Amino acid sequence: MKITRGQILWRGLTHRCPNCGEKTLFKPGAWFELNPDCPRCGLKIERDEGFFLGSMSLNYGATVWGSSPRC
């Protein structure tokens, strides 16, 4: 079965496994703790290199813009 990008996006927004769709992304009883892998399909859930790069770039840009003198 082919998984579409829309399915992956929807599964991410509903906190489901992007591979199988099972609702096992987070540990039971914990709001912000991810399971290391999906118990149903075995997909490893981990952060890639550069995970924080986008947020750091955005914060840096906002800081530079906010602290620059305006005429």
Side-chain angles (χ1 to χ4, degrees):
M1 180 176 143
K2 182 146 172 73
I3 301 171
T4 65
R5 289 183 183 182
Q7 285 177 314
I8 293 172
L9 181 64
W10 180 250
R11 289 175 181 177
L13 292 172
T14 57
H15 303 271
R16 296 178 181 270
C17 173
N19 192 39
C20 67
E22 187 69 25
K23 194 166 184 160
T24 56
L25 192 60
F26 292 95
K27 292 182 179 179
W31 287 18
F32 300 109
E33 281 189 66
L34 286 172
N35 283 322
D37 54 5
C38 177
R40 181 175 177 202
C41 69
L43 177 72
K44 286 190 158 217
I45 302 169
E46 55 189 24
R47 294 182 176 139
D48 286 337
E49 289 183 31
F51 177 75
F52 294 105
L53 185 60
S55 59
M56 286 184 352
S57 300
L58 183 66
N59 284 327
Y60 178 74
T63 302
V64 168
W65 181 80
S67 62
S68 64
R70 292 180 188 81
C71 296

